[in-house]
Amino acid sequence: MNEAQIKTTDLICSLFDRQTIKKLIFSRFDDKNILKCEGRLILLKGRTALQLEYFTSDGKATQKNVFADALPAEIGSLIASCRQCNVITSSGEAELKTSKSGNSTLLDRIKGTDAKAEIGSNDKKKKNILVKNRFYPFLYELGVIESDGRIIERKGAKFRQIDRFLQYVEDIYPRLGNGEELYVLDLCCGKSYLTFAVYWYLTEIKHRAVRMCGADLKADVIEYCSKTAGKLGYEGLSFVCTDISEFTPERTPDLVLSLHACDIATDIVLTTASRLGAKVILSTPCCQHQIMGQLKGESEAEKTLSPIMEHSLLKQKFAVALTDALRCKRLQAEGYKVDVTELIDPEDTPKNLMIRACRVPMAEEAKAKYAEEFRALSALCGVNLYGGIK
Ligand SMILES: C[S@@+](CC[C@H](N)C(=O)[O-])C[C@H]1O[C@@H](n2cnc3c(N)ncnc32)[C@H](O)[C@@H]1O
């Protein structure tokens, strides 16, 4: 697929997530027996699906219902097999046309089509998942609330952070698919506030069968978390004491989480998750010492950026941005659609950036272009991000 076709596939998936699709029309198929295919949103057993209706030259119409997990592949193959796609939404229209020679043009007149910006603004309006002053056994066991459900005073920021993270999980939930059992990893889980919260959300709110594993170096926290999971009766939740670079998962994870994994541990998380083929990765980086240590004032970029580099605080912020930009670029080069948002109010923690990566069908040329951008930025700044790039 070419870039415009990939962009259109992403656009449709994003509009599906936001449920703003009125109608999709695919036409001018390579297979002349297919006259056109129309798509519309329907509710099927309480879940949103895209209903595709194929009209064929024998006068028949056949229907197919597609859920979120299968959507990127389905739309990608539809777009690759026809030469026109019209997207009609509640906030405008878009049209993709592909010439006989295979060049595509996307004319996008949907207001706020920039999926990343839209996701950000939607996030702000999201409803809380945890209700204040309600008793949640996992929050009680973790020391976040009292036995009457009141939030312990010094745990207000933690409560907000957990709730916000759950909103992210809710956003990406349709991408996890509807297979038998979800497999989720929390790498560098520490005391595992998120692990427990996400397990609770997926099993008790989404009623899914879940196998989840938290991994961390610290034996005492792992023992505490294992005991707490037992107390709560969370049978599908286990913990393992290990260096995550040596961790062997049971199978391909659907979701990999990581909150504040120290320095290069975030790189280990991201490269491991991507190597394993995780469908979604949600990662909030912690410190970025590795790249900071490589900025010695010798590269071309640093010389030009000396007004930034001469102030250690600004240099530090630059190192943070550079590290996380390279991390995102590497994920893109590995076939992920990536966006960066704020996890929570920056007043609660300065380590607030959330990298959200969803595996999507991606052309090899697009991956190669992202890899080239990664290499060019690394060379310009004279740095090597831990883990490198393939
Ligand atoms: C700042 S804590 C964050 C803990 C937890 N995710 C949270 O946000 O509450 C970072 C954790 O990463 C763990 N860690 C760092 N490097 C690790 C590695 N290579 N393998 C496993 N755990 C690691 C540390 O033991 C620590 O518990």
Side-chain angles (χ1 to χ4, degrees):
M1 287 213 292
N2 59 40
E3 210 162 313
Q5 290 174 318
I6 291 169
K7 210 167 164 190
T8 310
T9 305
D10 282 352
L11 172 68
I12 293 174
C13 292
S14 157
L15 294 167
F16 176 89
D17 286 346
R18 285 178 281 152
Q19 307 198 357
T20 55
I21 295 172
K22 278 188 172 172
K23 196 174 183 180
L24 302 176
I25 307 167
F26 301 89
S27 54
R28 298 166 64 211
F29 279 84
D30 298 338
D31 177 350
K32 297 295 169 222
N33 288 321
I34 307 174
L35 301 179
K36 67 172 176 173
C37 172
E38 290 187 358
R40 65 189 183 95
L41 296 182
I42 59 161
L43 206 59
L44 204 61
K45 293 180 186 160
R47 295 175 59 208
T48 306
L50 182 73
Q51 183 168 80
L52 293 170
E53 190 164 24
Y54 286 82
F55 297 89
T56 42
S57 53
D58 56 6
K60 288 186 183 154
T62 46
Q63 289 177 345
K64 179 175 184 181
N65 299 322
V66 185
F67 288 103
D69 55 319
L71 197 67
E74 188 72 35
I75 296 296
S77 87
L78 257 171
I79 280 178
S81 60
C82 73
R83 290 206 278 119
Q84 185 159 344
C85 167
N86 291 79
V87 181
I88 300 152
T89 78
S90 44
S91 52
E93 300 188 7
E95 182 177 74
L96 174 78
K97 278 187 171 172
T98 303
S99 68
K100 277 187 181 153
S101 57
N103 294 323
S104 301
T105 325
L106 173 63
L107 193 63
D108 187 348
R109 292 209 191 89
I110 300 174
K111 280 184 223 132
T113 35
D114 179 357
K116 291 170 189 170
E118 188 102 332
I119 285 168
S121 61
N122 276 352
D123 287 347
K124 287 202 182 86
K125 284 187 242 131
K126 282 216 80 73
K127 267 192 18 219
N128 294 341
I129 289 171
L130 296 172
V131 181
K132 280 188 186 160
N133 299 321
R134 183 174 290 176
F135 183 75
Y136 297 98
F138 75 98
L139 286 182
Y140 176 67
E141 288 301 333
L142 293 171
V144 178
I145 58 170
E146 308 275 11
S147 56
D148 60 2
R150 265 182 308 124
I151 301 168
I152 293 175
E153 211 174 309
R154 62 179 198 291
K155 292 291 183 182
K158 188 50 88 179
F159 183 91
R160 288 192 291 280
Q161 186 192 56
I162 295 170
D163 187 58
R164 189 81 177 99
F165 202 91
L166 289 177
Q167 291 170 25
Y168 275 100
V169 175
E170 182 173 66
D171 276 352
I172 58 83
Y173 180 73
R175 294 192 176 264
L176 299 181
N178 51 1
E180 286 288 291
E181 183 186 66
L182 288 173
Y183 184 47
V184 183
L185 301 176
D186 185 352
L187 302 179
C188 298
C189 59
K191 199 178 164 188
S192 298
Y193 293 97
L194 287 187
T195 333
F196 284 99
V198 172
Y199 185 84
W200 164 80
Y201 176 77
L202 293 173
T203 54
E204 294 189 26
I205 303 298
K206 294 294 184 187
H207 305 290
R208 292 293 297 269
V210 179
R211 182 151 298 280
M212 186 160 178
C213 181
D216 200 284
L217 277 177
K218 292 183 190 149
D220 55 339
V221 276
I222 290 300
E223 195 188 332
Y224 163 83
C225 293
S226 302
K227 275 193 189 144
T228 308
K231 253 191 203 172
L232 289 163
Y234 285 0
E235 287 175 6
L237 178 57
S238 61
F239 292 90
V240 49
C241 181
T242 180
D243 187 316
I244 54 160
S245 56
E246 286 160 18
F247 176 67
T248 314
E250 289 174 21
R251 58 180 166 92
T252 302
D254 297 290
L255 172 63
V256 173
L257 314 171
S258 190
L259 183 69
H260 298 151
C262 324
D263 196 16
I264 60 161
T266 290
D267 294 297
I268 300 175
V269 170
L270 298 179
T271 49
T272 306
S274 145
R275 176 174 48 79
L276 295 171
K279 287 183 189 141
V280 180
I281 306 167
L282 295 178
S283 167
T284 296
C286 186
C287 29
Q288 289 83 355
H289 301 308
Q290 195 242 344
I291 290 288
M292 178 69 179
Q294 294 179 32
L295 295 175
K296 299 193 191 302
E298 289 155 12
S299 70
E300 274 314 302
E302 285 169 90
K303 283 177 196 155
T304 312
L305 294 175
S306 62
I308 295 175
M309 298 303 169
E310 69 197 29
H311 303 286
S312 66
L313 204 61
L314 296 181
K315 181 178 172 181
Q316 222 165 357
K317 284 185 186 290
F318 176 78
V320 169
L322 177 59
T323 307
D324 291 330
L326 287 171
R327 286 171 172 161
C328 292
K329 196 48 74 184
R330 176 167 60 194
L331 283 167
Q332 288 176 299
E334 289 163 348
Y336 285 86
K337 175 170 177 271
V338 181
D339 59 24
V340 174
T341 57
E342 283 190 319
L343 173 60
I344 197 168
D345 192 329
E347 280 178 20
D348 283 338
T349 169
K351 294 165 185 172
N352 194 30
L353 194 117
M354 162 71 88
I355 297 177
R356 174 167 48 181
C358 299
R359 187 174 275 281
V360 292
M362 193 181 287
E364 289 308 312
E365 304 90 79
K367 290 185 197 171
K369 179 179 143 281
Y370 293 134
E372 198 37 55
E373 288 172 9
F374 174 96
R375 290 191 192 97
L377 181 59
S378 303
L380 186 71
C381 300
V383 296
N384 290 304
L385 183 67
Y386 183 88
I389 196 165
K390 273 186 272 165

